[in-house]
Amino acid sequence: MLPETPAQTAGPYVHIGTFPYAAGLTIGWNARLHELVRDKEPGEHIEINGMIYDGGNAPVTDAMIELWQADTNGGFHRSSFPGWGRAVSDFTTGEWTFRTVRPGPVLRRDGSVMAPHIMLAIFARGVNGHLSTLMYFPDDPDANSRDPILSALEPARRVTLVAKRQPNAEIHSYRFDIFLQGDSETVFFNI
Amino acid sequence: MTLELLEGHPVHRLASRYYDRDLRIQPVRHDPLYASTLLRSPTHPPLAVGETIADLSGPVFGHLKPGPLDNDLIGNFASGGLALGERIIIHGTVQDQNGRPVPETLIEIWQANAGGRYRHVRDGYLAPLDPNFSGCGRCLTDRDGRYTFKTIRPGPYPFKNGGCAWRPSHIHFSVFGATFTQRLVTQAYFEGDPLIPLCPIANTIKDPRALRTLVATLDMSAAIEFDALAYRFDIVLRGRHATFFENRTEGV
Ligand SMILES: [Fe+2]
């Protein structure tokens, strides 16, 4: 078996290659990778936003965040829905945003069912290999309590993976702040 | 949502387990020598987890038709001239740990110019921007997992780390693979660069053999006469355990 190529930090200029518009460039990807849905996309449209905080409680303002999720029926690549997106922490505030659909539950090969959730991966200076976490929804505590990953966590850590509903007149909106260190350190997985 | 509906996913039945990521060859997360890790490295070790949606599928980019100059960083930002610097080809293969090529996967690269300056609103290093160089490139691997970029060799640059810290010449690489589990972001260094052993970031990888796999080697067989030198950088993504599904052999 060959050894895997090791990771290195994406560095502070990750945007040049992965989100050139944010770096001030006009080539490569366009600006809208954080919007996975157009108006007619089936499913419930949602918005997710948040910040990433470092161990000194300062917002991380140079991260690139990738999103990976199932479609509204819990499937992948069965429609035009890409399931994948990218966002950038605002260079001043650190705020990032995605617009997507609420994913359906996903069946594992062992027959267990994962509650609706979204995978996020953080790439940034000082992060030597990307950090992977899972965001669950607060609206369905029953499904969450049966989720094989979430239910295996102790309650104090489990709460770090559940987004908070926030008021928004136009769209169902969720807040998911990520803490790299500290008392409320987010659970990161060896994915 | 009923189970019958969920069971219609052929991709789930095809998926088999990946080898666990060998953390011994990966960079350490917290490293006093690389100051930025101090407040950005989680204190809990990454939690082992069973199958996730990252094992089941991943983004595909086969529909993406990169432009003819997307993998030519000498030409893709040219405005009346060509990028300055030592002209090079960097090329190689993307395969998994079982030695199987990873075809049609997206590779994105970014790098500083020949003077060590990034074309980024946040880079204020003394070295000037090159009006003909963006440092942004991308391509899809071919059916045999091969890729190639034409570019200039990036210059070293200093970075804030407390003291006199310099990055060796390097190109940042982002690779997707077939599923999100194979996702990799790394950096390629250049054979013989004396800054590699001094670099706090390169040396977050504590296994010297693992660090050597990030060093691109001079490859005269791919050099272009009177045009460009060539370096070879091969990439290995995570592989899967052997298993049989739908008459297809996966893994070794
Ligand atoms: Fe860099």
Side-chain angles (χ1 to χ4, degrees):
Chain A
M1 195 203 339
L2 299 166
E4 186 189 7
T5 301
Q8 290 271 266
T9 178
Y13 308 121
V14 56
H15 318 96
I16 293 172
T18 62
F19 212 117
Y21 176 84
L25 286 168
T26 48
I27 64 170
W29 293 105
N30 62 26
R32 314 199 75 81
L33 291 177
H34 60 290
E35 293 181 353
L36 284 76
V37 285
R38 299 289 176 264
D39 287 348
K40 286 190 223 103
E41 185 70 39
E44 182 194 335
H45 293 201
I46 60 171
E47 176 188 272
I48 304 163
N49 49 50
M51 308 260 269
I52 303 168
Y53 292 96
D54 73 12
N57 250 339
V60 171
T61 60
D62 56 9
M64 188 276 286
I65 303 116
E66 280 187 4
L67 171 152
W68 175 239
Q69 66 165 89
D71 65 21
T72 182
N73 296 312
F76 302 95
H77 303 309
R78 291 191 299 183
S79 66
S80 62
F81 180 67
W84 173 81
R86 274 180 180 159
V88 168
S89 311
D90 183 272
F91 290 173
T92 308
T93 65
E95 185 93 358
W96 50 266
T97 301
F98 285 105
R99 209 168 247 250
T100 183
V101 298
R102 182 193 299 275
V106 176
L107 186 70
R108 296 215 287 195
R109 289 189 311 123
D110 65 4
S112 59
V113 177
M114 292 183 271
H117 68 286
I118 280 171
M119 192 179 139
L120 296 171
I122 298 168
F123 301 84
R125 166 178 67 87
V127 173
N128 289 334
H130 63 272
L131 297 170
S132 300
T133 189
L134 303 174
M135 188 207 95
Y136 289 81
F137 292 87
D139 328 72
D140 200 349
D142 286 350
N144 286 351
S145 69
R146 287 191 300 269
D147 180 87
I149 297 169
L150 206 52
S151 62
L153 300 173
E154 50 185 284
R157 304 220 66 210
R158 195 183 302 158
V159 295
T160 69
L161 301 186
V162 182
K164 292 183 176 60
R165 190 72 183 261
Q166 59 188 2
N168 184 318
E170 282 168 26
I171 188 167
H172 283 155
S173 180
Y174 296 92
R175 180 142 199 106
F176 189 63
D177 289 323
I178 295 170
F179 296 89
L180 300 180
Q181 295 180 358
D183 291 341
S184 36
E185 181 177 309
T186 301
V187 174
F188 298 102
F189 295 97
N190 184 7
I191 289 176
Chain B
M1 176 81 46
T2 64
L3 274 186
E4 295 92 84
L5 184 53
L6 285 163
E7 276 166 3
H9 300 182
V11 65
H12 296 195
R13 287 197 296 273
L14 275 173
S16 56
R17 287 288 296 159
Y18 280 87
Y19 302 126
D20 287 335
R21 188 158 257 158
D22 183 355
L23 297 179
R24 292 168 306 180
I25 63 147
Q26 294 293 336
V28 295
R29 301 208 296 185
H30 173 98
D31 193 339
L33 297 176
Y34 176 24
S36 290
T37 64
L38 297 184
L39 291 176
R40 291 185 168 195
S41 50
T43 49
H44 291 84
L47 211 61
V49 67
E51 190 171 76
T52 70
I53 57 172
D55 298 296
L56 298 176
S57 190
V60 291
F61 299 98
H63 63 285
L64 187 81
K65 294 275 177 280
L69 290 179
D70 277 12
N71 69 340
D72 178 357
L73 287 76
I74 293 178
N76 73 13
F77 204 72
S79 54
L82 295 173
L84 288 173
E86 183 181 326
R87 298 163 66 88
I88 60 165
I89 302 288
I90 187 158
H91 76 119
T93 59
V94 181
Q95 56 187 332
D96 69 16
Q97 288 178 279
N98 299 320
R100 289 152 45 113
V102 183
E104 291 223 311
T105 199
L106 179 64
I107 303 183
E108 298 161 298
I109 65 169
W110 61 102
Q111 64 167 88
N113 68 21
R117 172 83 180 269
Y118 282 95
R119 186 172 282 280
H120 189 287
V121 290
R122 284 190 143 183
D123 188 6
Y125 179 42
L126 288 171
L129 286 170
D130 178 342
N132 295 303
F133 188 72
S134 70
C136 168
R138 60 180 176 173
C139 73
L140 293 174
T141 54
D142 69 13
R143 50 190 296 195
D144 301 316
R146 287 186 302 231
Y147 75 89
T148 184
F149 289 97
K150 192 168 196 179
T151 185
I152 53 96
R153 181 177 168 135
Y157 60 85
F159 70 107
K160 260 194 233 157
N161 195 48
C164 184
W166 283 74
R167 297 304 327 280
S169 293
H170 64 280
I171 298 176
H172 296 265
F173 272 74
S174 159
V175 190
F176 278 87
T179 69
F180 209 90
T181 303
Q182 293 185 305
R183 189 85 178 84
L184 173 70
V185 170
T186 189
Q187 302 179 25
Y189 301 103
F190 290 85
E191 185 177 8
D193 190 333
L195 291 171
I196 298 171
L198 305 179
C199 175
I201 292 178
N203 288 284
T204 57
I205 297 171
K206 304 301 177 190
D207 177 340
R209 273 202 322 200
L211 178 55
R212 273 204 295 281
T213 65
L214 295 186
V215 181
T217 51
L218 185 66
D219 179 10
M220 291 307 286
S221 71
I224 307 174
E225 214 177 333
F226 300 112
D227 182 345
L229 281 173
Y231 286 86
R232 177 149 185 141
F233 180 58
D234 291 329
I235 296 167
V236 178
L237 305 179
R238 287 167 75 180
R240 287 175 167 176
H241 291 285
T243 185
F244 291 88
F245 286 105
E246 304 194 349
N247 300 323
R248 280 173 55 182
T249 311
E250 296 268 334
V252 271

